[in-house]
Structures are given as C-alpha cells and as structure tokens.
C-alpha cells in the first residue's frame, strides 16, 4: 500500500551479492483508494489487476526464495495464498520469509511459515520489520547480509 515492503525487499536484495538473483515484485498501483479497492477484490479471489505480475512467478530454477509480505490485520494479505498456489509444490526448496508491520505484525510470520511448509518449502530464516512511522533500510540490509553469508545455493 505504501511501498514499505518493497523498500525492505530491495534493501535485502542489495546485500545478496554472493548470489545470482531475480526480483519479482507484486505491487498495487494507483492512488490509495484505488489500491484499497484492488485489495478488496482479492477477498473474492479476483486477482485480475495484478495478473501480469503473478504470471511471472516461476521459481523452478532457484535454490532459495525470499518472500516478503506486509501485515494487514495480523496476517499477510490474501494474495499470499494465491502466490503460494501459483508457486506450486516447493519440494524442499529453501525459503526465507519476512514481513513489515507498524504495530505488532501479529502472527503474520507464523502463518506464512505454516503455509509454506504445507507446500513443501523449508523455512530457513525469518525476520519482522516493524516500525510505526519511517521504515529504514539498516536492519533489512543486515538481514540480507546474514542470508548472503549463510546460504550456499
Ligand atoms: C489494511 C491495513 C491493515 C493493517 N494491519 C496491520 C496489523 O494488523 N498490524 C500491524 O502491525 N500493521 C498493520 N498495518 C500496517 C502495515 O502492515 C505496514 O504499514 C506495512 O509495512 C505496509 O507495507 P506496504 O507499504 O508494503 O503495504 C496495516 C495496514 C493496512 C493498510
């Protein structure tokens, strides 16, 4: 909604210089009210507004997937389920998860981990980025460096 997850993802990505990497953003465009309307459509499993972005999701050639989500009402937005559905069976692939939040982040990461494991993913690291107002990049870069060092893909 406000680019906080994107900013965090890009900061993490900037630290992954030991690895070949692709960045597959899925983002809502338009004014705030338009974004809210698009978000609402997800409730009816209508993903037509972001179909072209979703159709780029092919992770079969990657050793590690890093998935980041904002927290909306203590969970990731419903699009998360659709992303996982499109990724298919992850067959033991390594996955790192993160979320961004303003207040608590609730059980968003727990939910993500559970769902990823249900489709065969192996969650090897996770982080929550919680800031009420300005979300910086320092902690995200630190997390990215940690992944960069620890993962052999
Ligand atoms: C509809 C909506 C629901 C939200 N619910 C929560 C919440 O339950 N807990 C929380 O800590 N932050 C909540 N937030 C704040 C977002 O999680 C936070 O601003 C996040 O970093 C947004 O990322 P984005 O800019 O990538 O969408 C909510 C924001 C919106 C718009």
């Amino acid at each position: 909604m406000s680019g906080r997850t994107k900013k965090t993802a890009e900061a993490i990505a900037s630290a992954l210089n030991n690895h070949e990497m692709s960045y597959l953003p899925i983002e809502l465009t338009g004014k705030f009210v338009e974004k809210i309307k698009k978000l609402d459509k997800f409730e009816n499993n209508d993903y037509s507004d972001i179909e072209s972005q979703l159709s780029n999701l092919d992770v079969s050639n990657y050793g590690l997937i890093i998935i980041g989500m904002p927290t909306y009402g203590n969970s990731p937005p419903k699009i998360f389920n659709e992303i996982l559905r499109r990724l298919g069976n992850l067959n033991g692939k390594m996955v790192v998860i993160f979320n961004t939040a303003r207040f608590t982040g609730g059980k968003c990461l727990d939910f993500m981990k559970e769902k990823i494991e249900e489709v065969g993913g192996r969650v090897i690291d996770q982080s929550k980025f919680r800031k009420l107002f300005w979300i910086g990049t320092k902690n995200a870069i630190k997390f990215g460096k940690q992944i960069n060092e620890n993962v052999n893909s």
Side-chain angles (χ1 to χ4, degrees), residues 1-6 70-74 100-105:
M1 295 298 296
S2 50
R4 288 162 54 102
T5 311
K6 181 179 179 179
T71 309
Y72 297 158
N74 280 334
T100 64
R102 281 190 198 271
F103 316 108
T104 64

Side-chain angles (χ1 to χ4, degrees), residues 38-134:
K38 289 177 184 176
L39 200 60
D40 252 4
K41 285 162 86 175
F42 296 169
E43 293 304 313
N44 301 321
N45 293 317
D46 177 353
Y47 302 104
S48 52
D49 289 317
I50 51 162
E51 183 53 44
S52 58
Q53 299 176 65
L54 281 173
S55 60
N56 286 334
L57 283 181
D58 178 2
V59 296
S60 46
N61 291 326
Y62 294 89
L64 168 74
I65 315 166
I66 305 175
I67 306 182
M69 284 282 142
T71 309
Y72 297 158
N74 280 334
S75 330
K78 209 172 169 203
I79 184 66
F80 175 71
N81 299 332
E82 181 65 10
I83 291 170
L84 283 196
R85 197 182 69 76
R86 304 226 183 182
L87 292 181
N89 195 311
L90 295 176
N91 290 320
K93 214 182 267 287
M94 290 184 288
V95 183
V96 169
I97 53 176
F98 72 92
N99 71 326
T100 64
R102 281 190 198 271
F103 316 108
T104 64
K107 301 209 176 301
C108 184
L109 276 181
D110 293 343
F111 179 89
M112 289 171 70
K113 183 166 191 273
E114 193 182 317
K115 293 289 166 194
I116 287 167
E117 287 174 350
E118 271 174 27
V119 294
R122 196 158 51 87
V123 177
I124 59 162
D125 207 348
Q126 63 183 66
S127 187
K128 176 168 79 182
F129 298 93
R130 179 174 58 83
K131 276 274 184 268
L132 187 52
F133 297 114
W134 173 251

Side-chain angles (χ1 to χ4, degrees), residues 1 6 26-38 49-50 53:
M1 295 298 296
K6 181 179 179 179
I26 295 177
E27 49 189 319
L28 299 177
T29 53
K31 298 204 171 109
F32 192 78
V33 180
E34 288 162 348
K35 289 182 189 174
I36 290 278
K37 283 184 187 156
K38 289 177 184 176
D49 289 317
I50 51 162
Q53 299 176 65

